[in-house]
Amino acid sequence: MEEVVIYTDGACSGNPGPGGWGSILMYKDNKKEISGGKKDTTNNVMELTAVIEALKLLKFKCKVSVYSDSAYVVNAFNQKWIYSWMKNGWKNSSKEPVKNKELWQELYELTKVHDVNFIKVKGHSDNEYNNRCDEMARNAITTL
């Protein structure tokens, strides 16, 4: 199975407010940068969108390492929150509806297509790819 590395980040100017996301996909010697934004959104929506848009670009089943500074995204899978949400009818541990349900459902479907491993990275640190994703996300806000 082919291996792909993806770095993602989301940003928001105000929360909610204008937001942007950035992703870098790396496959063998190829590197592709993608980004986008939304006029009225939240940071968490942008974090999820960055991962979804990157995974949607993959043309065949891959082993994917997703690096994100979003504990919200990483922990939902690594701590198995998403499976509890689904089992509980998309309600969280407080019995409230899970926020961003449609995005979580889309991301979950993509994780069934690919073998995805989520890895937490420290944000705004010394990771050049995470920093580049942050830069792309912030730049995307300025183009709205």
Side-chain angles (χ1 to χ4, degrees):
M1 191 181 307
E2 298 292 344
E3 294 189 19
V4 175
V5 171
I6 296 175
Y7 278 83
T8 67
D9 199 17
C12 226
S13 183
N15 199 19
W21 58 270
S23 303
I24 301 171
L25 295 90
M26 292 179 270
Y27 170 68
K28 296 185 177 172
D29 293 332
N30 301 308
K31 186 164 78 170
K32 181 174 183 72
E33 294 185 349
I34 59 172
S35 62
K38 216 172 161 184
K39 281 188 172 26
D40 187 28
T41 189
T42 66
N43 192 57
N44 285 339
V45 168
M46 293 294 92
E47 294 284 2
L48 284 164
T49 301
V51 180
I52 290 167
E53 292 302 321
L55 289 173
K56 280 170 42 177
L57 287 182
L58 303 178
K59 295 176 174 48
F60 46 83
K61 183 177 175 81
C62 298
K63 181 176 172 52
V64 184
S65 296
V66 173
Y67 292 86
S68 171
D69 63 11
S70 170
Y72 178 65
V73 171
V74 173
N75 290 346
F77 288 92
N78 290 353
Q79 310 222 350
K80 313 223 182 301
W81 300 344
I82 192 164
Y83 307 106
S84 296
W85 298 338
M86 289 188 295
K87 194 174 86 186
N88 297 325
W90 289 98
K91 300 263 193 282
N92 63 22
S93 57
S94 306
K95 306 286 185 251
E96 295 167 356
V98 171
K99 288 185 171 120
N100 309 312
K101 173 183 158 188
E102 293 77 15
L103 292 172
W104 283 116
Q105 288 173 323
E106 186 175 5
L107 180 53
Y108 175 71
E109 289 303 314
L110 289 163
T111 65
K112 289 181 1 190
V113 174
H114 305 286
D115 178 9
V116 183
N117 183 27
F118 289 88
I119 300 126
K120 174 87 170 66
V121 296
K122 187 175 162 99
H124 311 284
S125 185
D126 58 357
N127 186 305
E128 76 169 287
Y129 298 118
N130 180 259
N131 289 341
R132 176 64 184 139
C133 288
D134 179 62
E135 181 184 1
M136 289 189 300
R138 286 184 288 107
N139 286 344
I141 296 171
T142 67
T143 65
L144 297 174

